[in-house]
């Protein structure tokens, strides 16, 4: 990579780290940057997962106050289920022909943009639900368990938008304040990325330079994002994310 390209990857890692701890669509920023540098899609996806690990770690540390408010069995259940799902997602990424992921990636990005676009309605509905039924459910139901595992599979396979999905699953399945759901979501993504990243280090082709540069930016972004996530007016950020995602998907399809 040239010097400007390295700076671009670090900046993408910083922005993706902030997104990890806020709206949960980090890969929607960092993955297209790696693709634009000519890195093959599967290699870019695996390297991206590895590079964003520090963001989830620092973001979870930043949310430690909120995580203390969750019952320990619930936290353990979410983390373990999401991690097990990520094993399946990582296995799918490596087992399927590279062309499958390359053809799916633009549509996965567009799907993520759709999720980000409807997130205000999901958040508003979850907030109303929490006010109407406070403290009704504090443990994982079978349905919540299944959808948490499926979100882990998606996170291990691609990742972009997994945070939004996890917020919806946990917000629907557990009666927790949204700031706590955001914290639990960040920890769940850390578990998924840890498992998938370990698998990728063992058996996948990686661009370690790209992963390292992403990590440098993402470790700062994750911690900063945990503080922004407590008070961020998300409308402008959400619009920019959707625009960037649609442009990236169109460029990949062209």
């Amino acid at each position: 990579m040239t010097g400007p390209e390295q700076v671009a990857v670090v900046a993408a890692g910083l922005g993706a780290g902030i997104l990890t701890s806020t709206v949960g669509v980090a890969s929607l920023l960092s993955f297209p940057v790696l693709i634009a540098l000519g890195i093959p899609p599967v290699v870019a996806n695996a390297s991206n997962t590895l590079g964003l690990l520090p963001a989830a770690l620092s973001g979870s540390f930043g949310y430690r106050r909120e995580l203390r408010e969750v019952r320990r069995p619930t936290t353990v259940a979410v983390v373990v289920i999401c991690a097990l799902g990520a094993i399946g997602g990582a296995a799918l990424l490596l087992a399927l022909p590279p062309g499958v992921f390359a053809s799916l990636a633009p549509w996965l990005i567009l799907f993520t943009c759709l999720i980000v676009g409807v997130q205000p309605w999901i958040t508003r509905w979850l907030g109303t639900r929490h006010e109407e039924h406070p403290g009704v459910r504090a443990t994982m139901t079978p349905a919540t368990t299944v959808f948490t595992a499926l979100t882990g599979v998606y996170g291990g396979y691609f990742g972009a938008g997994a945070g939004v999905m996890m917020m919806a699953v946990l917000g629907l399945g557990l009666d927790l304040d949204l700031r706590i759901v955001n914290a639990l979501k960040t920890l769940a993504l850390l578990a998924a990325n840890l498992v998938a990243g370990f698998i990728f280090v063992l058996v996948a082709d990686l661009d370690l330079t790209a992963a390292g540069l992403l990590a440098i930016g993402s470790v700062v972004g994750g911690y900063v994002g945990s503080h922004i996530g407590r008070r961020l007016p998300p409308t402008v950020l959400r619009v920019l994310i959707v625009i960037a995602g649609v442009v990236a998907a169109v460029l990949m399809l062209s």
Side-chain angles (χ1 to χ4, degrees):
M1 293 185 196
T2 64
E5 288 174 340
Q6 292 177 349
V7 171
V9 176
V10 172
L14 176 65
I18 293 173
L19 294 178
T20 295
S21 302
T22 52
V23 292
V25 288
S27 295
L28 197 55
L29 173 62
S30 52
F31 177 73
V33 171
L34 299 186
I35 292 295
L37 294 177
I39 301 174
V42 174
V43 177
N45 193 38
S47 303
N48 181 68
T49 297
L50 192 63
L52 295 186
L53 264 175
L57 181 61
S58 61
S60 296
F61 178 76
Y63 278 126
R64 62 194 181 280
R65 186 172 64 207
E66 284 78 9
L67 290 171
R68 292 193 193 103
E69 300 182 42
V70 187
R71 294 177 57 184
R72 187 176 296 274
T74 300
T75 301
V76 172
V78 170
V79 167
V80 171
I81 293 166
C82 190
L84 291 175
I87 294 174
L92 281 174
L93 180 69
L94 298 175
L96 295 174
V100 173
F101 180 79
S103 61
L104 283 176
W107 302 106
L108 291 172
I109 290 175
L110 289 174
F111 175 64
T112 301
C113 290
L114 174 63
I115 293 175
V116 174
V118 301
Q119 187 186 23
W121 288 272
I122 295 175
T123 301
R124 196 177 305 121
W125 186 79
L126 292 177
T128 302
R129 181 180 176 278
H130 177 73
E131 291 173 1
E132 293 175 349
H133 306 284
V136 175
R137 284 183 292 183
T139 58
M140 300 284 283
T141 65
T144 305
T145 299
V146 169
F147 283 105
T148 298
L150 291 175
T151 305
V153 172
Y154 177 79
Y157 184 75
F158 184 50
V164 179
M165 296 179 194
M166 188 62 71
M167 282 197 70
V169 170
L170 297 178
L172 288 168
L174 299 171
D175 289 300
L176 299 171
D177 189 85
L178 284 179
R179 62 185 175 82
I180 300 175
V181 171
N182 205 7
L184 194 56
K185 169 266 297 181
T186 303
L187 185 64
L189 293 184
L190 170 61
N193 285 347
L194 271 173
V195 170
F198 180 72
I199 294 172
F200 294 151
V201 166
L202 291 180
V203 298
D205 291 328
L206 294 167
D207 189 317
L208 293 178
T209 299
L213 293 171
L214 281 177
I216 291 171
S218 73
V219 69
V220 178
Y223 186 73
V224 171
S226 67
H227 294 279
I228 295 175
R230 294 189 178 103
R231 57 183 69 91
L232 176 70
T235 303
V236 174
L237 180 61
R238 183 177 295 107
V239 169
L240 292 176
I241 290 170
V242 172
I243 292 173
V246 171
V247 170
V250 170
L251 291 175
M252 290 178 70
L253 285 169
S254 60

